[in-house]
Amino acid sequence: MSADMTVWYDRPATLTGMSKQEGWNRALPIGNGRLGAMVFGDWPVDLIQVNEESIWAGPPVPRNRVGAKEAIQQARVLLLAGKHEDAEKLVREYVLHPHTNPRSYQPFGEVRLTHLNSGNTVIAENSLELKRSLNLDTAIVQVSYFHEGVHNTREALSSVIDQVLVIRWTTEGHGKINTRIELTREDGASVQTKGMDSLVLTGQADHEGTHPGVKFCGILHAMTDGGLIHADAGSLTVSDANALTLYLSVHTDYHFANPLEPLDLNLITQCEIDLQKAIAKPYEQLRLEHIEDHRRLFRRVELFLGTHTLESPPTSSLPTDRRLEAYRQGNEDLELISLYFQYGRYLLIASSRPGCLPANLQGIWNPHLIAPWDSDYHININLQMNYWLAQVGNLSECQMPYFNLLEGLAKNGVDTAREVYGCRGFVAHYTTDVWLHTAPLGDIQYGMWPMGAGWCIRDFMEHYRFQGDTRFLRERAYPILREAAAFFLDWLVRHPLTGKWISGPSVSPENTFLSRNGNKVSLCMAPAMDQQIIWDVFASVVEAAQELNDKDAFIERIQKVWQELAMPGIGKDGRLMEWCEEYEEAERGHRHLSHLYGVYPGQQYSYSSSPQMMKAARESLEYRLFHGGGHTGWSRAWIINLWARLQDGEQSYKHLEILIKQSTLPNLLDNHPPFQIDGNFGAAAGIAEMLLQSHEGHIRILPALPQAWQHGYVKGLKARGEFEVDIKWEYGRLVECKVRSLKEDPNQGTIVYQNQASDFEIKSGQEYRVYPGDLTEL
């Protein structure tokens, strides 16, 4: 790899006087997509907090409301008459299901390792020479320290191949391991010993007896080299061991195909099967296979943005928390940005593997029985942002759990479309979870928004644009695109004055404006984001139909309505309008930038196709920022990507710096606040977007390169059209670009750099090299 890929610290996660949550914010994440852990590296009691992706508290889930269809029709009439308050009262009373809170994603439990005869705990912070590190290239956390003159090392990894969490503790020389091992959970579980070398934790996710959900079981098995293991009162004691290896397997009865009917499994037996497979291998073999599997994905992309300048001395030799603090104080650290980018890719690999559930609001890492926002799947931007990095970051396999979830929502989404709206097709709203509910719920400003499915399913088409997998297009993307489009065809109504097709009643997610009566309201007709999402869905369906040579009356109808959609206008002040009328915003610096969807992640607007709209979008973005927008981690990440699409590298870089300085925890996880992983993924996607774009039908290289990145290279980014791209630049200017085709047939494309272009045609596996002298004026 081109730069140091290690996140490290020279102190325990939890220092004297710190809360457990503060320690968690300094702990290090590992995961195999399903089984995750935060490794603290504390002393004399170390903590490994464990999650399994499907442990959720349970029903009741939101239901479709009887009488909703009639209320929707009445609300439209009221909104078109300017009676926003009356429409909101109607929708709140008859359409929205009350929010079921809490019904949270929950931790599995904790592994505790207590040094026996450890002495004064202050030693851990002062003289143990303790070091904690996460190597992104191996996906292994290591903790090392000296105790009584003996060097101790612990490694922790979560294996995809063996489906176990493994902790390996070794000592050098004649050192011995004496420790107590505990497997605990705050509530809702019991622990018992199994034989003399295992602990079994079983339980069910709930909230103090309410909302019983997923049942789970975990077995922690201990093996030693020398010494003795003794089981007593729910714990294991290891005495005088030369080495200790712990294997943890966790299983649940969650049934994705039908969540309300749990799997009929003996969970203890399922755990034992995993353990027997893992234990049969020597640790070094298990470790090596884990590293090889991880590197197969991680090493596809390299990024180098240069090193320090003379004005900013190097900080890469500092522990990561102090390095981050130095960055906040103004020290330039280009290698930290490269590390942050690769950390985003690492987190996606660790939290979203094929066959798993998708990454939720916290990825798979959550210590709370009641997580912030239940750690659910917010589909009014957050879940989508989790996967902005997947394609361009060359991790397409990691996007599959996202698609699986959307297909799982489809059945309930069809029922909701019919029962709530009287429409065909598939609909979902601002949130869902492992129970796959799709009904509108909560309050108006976020709940009455039937665009969640439409936003998400555009990514099916994006996957095809990058990968060129015709079978995926035919069997998975096209059917669900048609379902979403069918809902919109029935949902849209003609505007009584313009005759254009408009959406509503709906909202611009979570935002508010002032009604004619001066009241803060959200509900309206034809908010900009609705119209842009529907435009995007129709465009994707038409494109897919052309690719598959499919023509029918349904496609003809979409083409006609697509051309007659009411689209957002430009206000008197030059800004892209967020609503169909120039309402006065109640929050001028709102965190959502919904009306800029058509710039990013959509591709409706570009400088080549609609320069006036791009100018208006820029005005809107500047206005929002001037009034305090971007104050959450994920919002700032969106801003980075928007400025990249606006081809302003200085602004993109400015907001990337702000995100790292203001919205990043000591362990580099995104701080909403509190922790929310979408900012990590979104910002990493923004770094890629600054270097490579391909949404306009060509490969645009270095579209938003900031002055600070004078020298660098990137290898392995993906571009639409089945291309893999390497770029090298010096003194802020292109030196060389390499393009590889992943398509079996000959592949054509165009490379664009600044105002110059080069057309090319290459065969699969071939490489096309472009130098500045090869480019001609557009």
Side-chain angles (χ1 to χ4, degrees), residues 234-483:
S235 67
L236 304 176
T237 300
V238 174
S239 304
D240 295 327
N242 300 317
L244 169 65
T245 310
L246 302 178
Y247 301 85
L248 176 63
S249 174
V250 180
H251 279 275
T252 77
D253 68 350
Y254 176 68
H255 188 195
F256 178 77
N258 193 344
L260 297 179
E261 294 186 8
L263 292 170
D264 184 15
L265 294 174
N266 185 318
L267 299 180
I268 291 179
T269 299
Q270 296 301 309
C271 291
E272 288 175 337
I273 291 171
D274 284 346
L275 291 172
Q276 289 168 6
K277 176 185 172 185
I279 292 167
K281 296 179 180 179
Y283 172 73
E284 287 304 321
Q285 178 185 346
L286 184 150
R287 182 182 188 275
L288 180 60
E289 291 175 354
H290 158 77
I291 292 172
E292 290 176 343
D293 175 77
H294 173 71
R295 284 178 173 171
R296 176 178 57 84
L297 299 174
F298 186 75
R299 285 194 166 186
R300 290 175 181 173
V301 175
E302 293 184 40
L303 176 63
F304 177 72
L305 297 175
T307 57
H308 65 282
T309 63
L310 293 176
E311 292 77 16
S312 296
T315 58
S316 57
S317 60
L318 292 177
T320 303
D321 51 350
R322 276 177 261 169
R323 184 178 182 181
L324 183 60
E325 185 57 34
Y327 191 68
R328 291 187 176 118
Q329 298 304 318
N331 284 68
E332 185 180 63
D333 193 341
L334 299 177
E335 289 170 304
L336 178 62
I337 296 171
S338 299
L339 181 69
Y340 187 89
F341 169 76
Q342 293 288 25
Y343 191 60
R345 295 183 67 251
Y346 166 84
L347 291 170
L348 187 57
I349 294 168
S351 63
S352 186
R353 288 293 196 108
C356 297
L357 292 169
N360 61 46
L361 278 177
Q362 276 75 35
I364 50 174
W365 300 282
N366 162 48
H368 306 290
L369 291 176
I370 302 177
W373 302 282
D374 291 341
S375 196
D376 59 16
Y377 300 120
H378 268 52
I379 55 176
N380 66 0
I381 184 172
N382 311 98
L383 180 60
Q384 295 93 327
M385 184 180 286
N386 281 2
Y387 289 92
W388 287 355
L389 178 63
Q391 292 298 332
V392 68
N394 212 335
L395 295 173
S396 62
E397 300 96 323
C398 296
Q399 199 172 24
M400 290 303 157
Y402 173 49
F403 296 143
N404 294 341
L405 179 79
L406 297 175
E407 290 168 332
L409 289 174
K411 181 180 182 299
N412 289 337
V414 167
D415 292 342
T416 297
R418 182 181 66 254
E419 294 170 14
V420 173
Y421 299 106
C423 297
R424 298 169 296 162
F426 159 47
V427 68
H429 296 81
Y430 90 98
T431 191
T432 190
D433 56 27
V434 295
W435 306 107
L436 306 180
H437 60 81
T438 56
L441 76 153
D443 204 355
I444 294 288
Q445 69 187 77
Y446 56 84
M448 188 56 240
W449 187 72
M451 296 290 126
W455 184 342
C456 288
I457 59 93
R458 77 173 303 277
D459 291 319
F460 279 85
M461 196 64 202
E462 283 283 76
H463 182 87
Y464 172 73
R465 291 169 183 143
F466 277 91
Q467 299 298 122
D469 185 343
T470 303
R471 180 176 179 181
F472 175 87
L473 179 66
R474 180 184 300 108
E475 296 179 4
R476 299 189 67 177
Y478 192 46
I480 201 167
L481 280 163
R482 286 179 65 108
E483 285 293 315

Side-chain angles (χ1 to χ4, degrees), residues 668-683:
L668 297 189
L669 291 177
D670 177 69
N671 194 20
H672 176 281
F675 161 58
Q676 200 167 288
I677 204 168
D678 42 16
N680 285 104
F681 295 139

Side-chain angles (χ1 to χ4, degrees), residues 149-226:
V150 176
H151 187 233
N152 290 257
T153 301
R154 286 197 294 276
E155 290 188 336
L157 61 88
S158 187
S159 168
V160 173
I161 295 172
D162 295 293
Q163 286 299 304
V164 289
L165 178 70
V166 185
I167 303 163
R168 172 75 168 174
W169 186 348
T170 58
T171 61
E172 291 183 359
H174 300 289
K176 301 296 182 181
I177 297 170
N178 294 278
T179 188
R180 182 169 64 253
I181 305 165
E182 298 171 280
L183 186 60
T184 66
R185 192 175 197 266
E186 184 180 338
D187 189 35
S190 61
V191 181
Q192 58 186 1
T193 56
K194 183 176 183 290
M196 297 302 294
D197 55 11
S198 298
L199 298 173
V200 181
L201 186 150
T202 56
Q204 183 173 18
D206 65 16
H207 291 297
E208 297 181 346
T210 65
H211 304 299
V214 174
K215 294 179 180 178
F216 52 87
C217 171
I219 300 180
L220 181 67
H221 179 76
M223 292 181 65
T224 62
D225 177 3

